[in-house]
Amino acid sequence: MTTQKLANRVTSIRVSPSVAAAQKVRDLKAQGREILNLTVGEPDFDTPEDIKQVGIQAITEGDTKYTAVNGTEELRKGVQHDFSTRLGIECGLDQICVGGGAKQILFVAMMATVEEGTEVIVPAPYWVSYPDMVIANGGKPVIVECGEDVGFKLTPEALEAAITPRTRWVILNSPSNPTGAAYNGDDLRALAAVVKRHPHVLVMCDEIYDRIWYADFKTESILGVAPELAEQALVVNGVSKSYAMTGWRIGYAVGPKFLIDAINKLQSQMSSCPSSISQAAAAAALTGPQEAVGKTVEVYKERRDRAYALINGIDGLSCTLPDGAFYLYPSCAGVIGRTTSEGDTIENDLDFVLYLLEQAGVASVHGGAYGLEPYFRISTATSMDVIEAACDKIAKAVANLS
């Protein structure tokens, strides 16, 4: 047994619960179990062919060298154009950074700004990595519960109450993982007014799902509706979800130059630059035809609507209709306290998802992983056949509870 000691930044955080859930599914399948997997936060579509061909062309033409730390000019111009035309965000090329996925940019932005004693406001339910990113960088996540009664969204009043002199960031994820809830323009203007009153507070906008959109209000970003926050907001996005490019690992962000410079400085010592091949493909994704995105969103919407109807038809479960992304976050409050055929009581949402896994062969992620119980997250980034079969098994498993 080793006597070596790991750094506190490692021992103080968890393995991502969603990653752990996905690994559990792989382990069970390896044992011969048939598992319907609703844990996956990854499109089941392939990267569009025209984008793949640009990546292949980059390889064959020798575009395989280091790029600038902050990404190629071609990609940054693509980001600049996309943010301007789609979201009304104007920025210079020196206000854009590019990284190995949006997740890396979120982490490095915290690394650049968070230290011992720093507070980061994290609305719950939250993407599982936010609190651990804060902790890994020495900060303190301040969890603000945003329940179903407020649409799973942070209110201006709750934000104001959570801010202290030690607050460095507030995180906004729209559309949300796990709920699919999205902020509209009025929501964002009201939150921006609070942030503006506190110039020491930055707002981190994780908008990785903002093209997977179903709401009857248009997609907006806080910098688009409140450009006065140009020195206080970092808007993070990427090609992983919208273009089914998770493995290409390209994310990007627009923000104040002091912060972008800091992110680039850290990345220069970490990974030097993202993949040149992936950057060429990402530039093509942002500047090329967008029909493939629209077609996949239509499919995601059909899946969302079907899963929403099926879940709400199960006694003891209920679900709100997501504005975007490819998740549902059903409440399982109605089954808490019920008993399995083996005599075990469902005490919480973790018990419930474990029951579904063992008895129904359906894998999901419990709400406690996202900071708000009693819920569970299911992904609709899988086929309609899997969604319907899984919901049927969930219904039968719930019916067997007494």
Side-chain angles (χ1 to χ4, degrees):
M1 185 174 181
T2 183
T3 59
Q4 300 299 319
K5 183 180 179 182
L6 294 172
N8 184 61
R9 72 178 59 88
V10 176
T11 58
S12 62
I13 64 174
R14 310 164 294 171
V15 173
S16 165
S18 53
V19 170
Q23 184 58 50
K24 177 69 171 175
V25 172
R26 286 189 288 270
D27 292 343
L28 288 171
K29 285 185 174 181
Q31 296 168 18
R33 288 284 305 276
E34 290 187 10
I35 303 296
L36 296 172
N37 187 5
L38 301 182
T39 70
V40 181
E42 179 175 42
D44 61 329
F45 298 100
D46 195 10
T47 304
E49 188 62 31
D50 58 328
I51 298 173
K52 290 194 291 184
Q53 288 303 317
V54 172
I56 293 168
Q57 184 179 354
I59 295 171
T60 59
E61 294 183 355
D63 187 8
T64 56
K65 308 297 184 183
Y66 291 128
T67 73
V69 172
N70 61 337
T72 64
E73 184 171 321
E74 179 189 25
L75 178 51
R76 283 182 288 127
K77 283 183 175 178
V79 173
Q80 183 185 52
H81 179 264
D82 175 62
F83 274 45
S84 174
T85 57
R86 198 169 56 86
L87 299 171
I89 297 174
E90 304 298 335
C91 66
L93 292 181
D94 60 354
Q95 293 176 269
I96 300 170
C97 64
V98 179
K103 192 172 191 176
Q104 184 189 56
I105 292 176
L106 294 167
F107 191 95
V108 177
M110 289 193 190
M111 185 182 290
T113 53
V114 173
E115 53 197 355
E116 195 70 33
T118 302
E119 294 178 354
V120 176
I121 297 171
V122 183
Y126 46 70
W127 178 45
V128 293
S129 291
Y130 295 143
D132 287 301
M133 286 181 176
V134 177
I135 293 167
N137 285 294
K140 176 186 176 183
V142 177
I143 308 302
V144 177
E145 188 171 301
C146 304
E148 199 168 339
D149 59 324
V150 291
F152 298 122
K153 294 186 288 187
L154 183 66
T155 65
E157 296 77 14
L159 173 58
E160 185 73 61
I163 292 174
T164 76
R166 296 179 298 279
T167 304
R168 186 58 168 159
W169 287 101
V170 55
I171 298 176
L172 298 180
N173 178 206
S174 179
S176 159
N177 175 4
T179 67
Y183 294 91
N184 62 35
D186 290 340
D187 295 332
L188 293 170
R189 277 183 279 271
L191 292 169
V194 177
V195 173
K196 192 63 181 174
R197 290 198 294 271
H198 299 276
H200 69 290
V201 176
L202 299 168
V203 55
M204 183 177 287
C205 306
D206 181 354
E207 300 178 358
I208 192 69
Y209 295 98
D210 76 340
R211 281 183 176 84
I212 303 173
W213 193 272
Y214 323 117
D216 56 6
F217 54 90
K218 68 177 183 176
T219 308
E220 295 195 271
S221 180
I222 202 164
L223 269 185
V225 303
E228 65 272 17
L229 288 186
E231 291 299 306
Q232 288 177 264
L234 182 73
V235 180
V236 183
N237 212 313
V239 295
S240 292
K241 310 298 184 178
S242 301
Y243 299 96
M245 295 176 68
T246 50
W248 297 78
R249 304 314 303 136
I250 293 292
Y252 43 81
V254 168
K257 190 172 183 304
F258 80 89
L259 180 57
I260 297 298
D261 287 347
I263 291 170
N264 289 333
K265 184 177 184 180
L266 285 168
Q267 183 161 263
S268 75
Q269 298 290 359
M270 295 170 66
S271 59
S272 295
C273 65
S275 160
S276 60
I277 300 156
S278 296
Q279 288 187 67
L286 290 174
T287 59
Q290 302 297 306
E291 288 82 359
V293 176
K295 289 178 181 177
T296 58
V297 170
E298 288 178 6
V299 175
Y300 286 138
K301 185 175 185 297
E302 290 174 359
R303 294 173 180 177
R304 176 206 67 163
D305 292 347
R306 183 62 173 149
Y308 172 78
L310 291 171
I311 290 293
N312 279 309
I314 300 172
D315 179 44
L317 305 183
S318 64
C319 185
T320 59
L321 190 66
D323 297 315
F326 40 61
Y327 308 105
L328 274 73
Y329 198 60
S331 168
C332 55
V335 302
I336 303 301
R338 294 189 189 179
T339 305
T340 70
S341 57
E342 288 79 20
D344 299 319
T345 301
I346 304 294
E347 301 282 1
N348 49 45
D349 51 30
L350 178 57
D351 286 347
F352 182 62
V353 301
L354 290 174
Y355 170 71
L356 293 181
L357 182 60
E358 295 298 330
Q359 298 299 318
V362 175
S364 58
V365 187
H366 71 290
Y370 304 96
L372 189 69
E373 302 180 68
Y375 293 85
F376 65 110
R377 191 197 77 171
I378 61 175
S379 170
T380 52
T382 187
S383 72
M384 187 72 85
D385 286 346
V386 170
I387 290 168
E388 291 181 338
C391 288
D392 181 61
K393 287 180 175 290
I394 291 171
K396 291 175 180 175
V398 170
N400 285 333
L401 294 171
S402 58

